[in-house]
């Protein structure tokens, strides 16, 4: 019979690509060193091609800078910023702030 501490030790020592680690939400093991280096190479080549294609062009007429390839464990920032859950939390915070301001104005909170 295993103790919780022993089980935790076994789980921490699993290889990065083990299905158990991935099922537990560890996204770092999806890409190894070779995949990260290849992603970096692709990003650098895209930037170099972008620079060459915009050489001698006014800054206002240049094309947009290429976005990097998304890595495991990271998602698009704009999508997270405007997700329905985040919008709902933001609206709830605004309602709470308005209630607090009105309670302060009525003198209920000092």
């Amino acid at each position: 019979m295993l103790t919780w501490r022993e089980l935790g030790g076994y789980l921490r020592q699993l290889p990065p690509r083990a299905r158990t680690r991935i099922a537990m939400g560890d996204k770092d093991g999806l890409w190894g060193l070779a995949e990260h280096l290849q992603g970096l190479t692709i990003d650098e080549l895209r930037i170099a091609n972008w620079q060459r294609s915009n050489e001698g062009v006014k800054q206002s007429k240049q094309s947009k800078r290429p976005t990097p390839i998304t890595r495991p464990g990271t998602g698009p920032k704009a999508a997270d910023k405007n997700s329905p859950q985040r919008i709902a939390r933001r609206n709830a915070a605004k309602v709470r702030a308005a209630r607090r301001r009105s309670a302060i104005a009525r003198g209920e909170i000092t």
Side-chain angles (χ1 to χ4, degrees):
M1 181 156 194
L2 286 176
T3 64
W4 287 109
R5 183 176 181 177
E6 290 172 332
L7 179 62
Y10 284 129
L11 291 177
R12 280 190 298 276
Q13 293 177 8
L14 285 172
R17 294 182 186 205
R19 291 182 186 208
T20 305
R21 286 185 81 158
I22 294 170
M24 289 173 35
D26 184 12
K27 303 276 188 210
D28 294 334
L30 293 176
W31 278 21
L33 178 62
E35 288 85 1
H36 280 286
L37 290 174
Q38 188 174 17
L40 181 63
T41 303
I42 291 170
D43 288 341
E44 293 298 321
L45 285 172
R46 291 172 65 193
I47 290 172
N49 287 334
W50 170 76
Q51 287 174 338
R52 280 193 293 278
S53 68
N54 288 316
E55 188 176 342
V57 179
K58 288 184 179 180
Q59 190 169 3
S60 61
K61 302 279 185 184
Q62 290 181 358
S63 61
K64 288 179 133 182
R65 184 182 181 99
T67 57
I69 293 175
T70 56
R71 269 65 171 181
T74 62
K77 302 291 184 208
D80 293 340
K81 192 174 187 180
N82 296 319
S83 68
Q85 296 85 5
R86 187 160 179 185
I87 291 172
R89 286 195 311 262
R90 191 179 316 139
N91 291 337
K94 288 178 183 179
V95 169
R96 286 193 311 272
R99 287 182 186 156
R100 184 168 174 80
R101 280 192 299 271
S102 65
I104 289 171
R106 289 190 307 264
E108 296 172 358
I109 300 174
T110 57

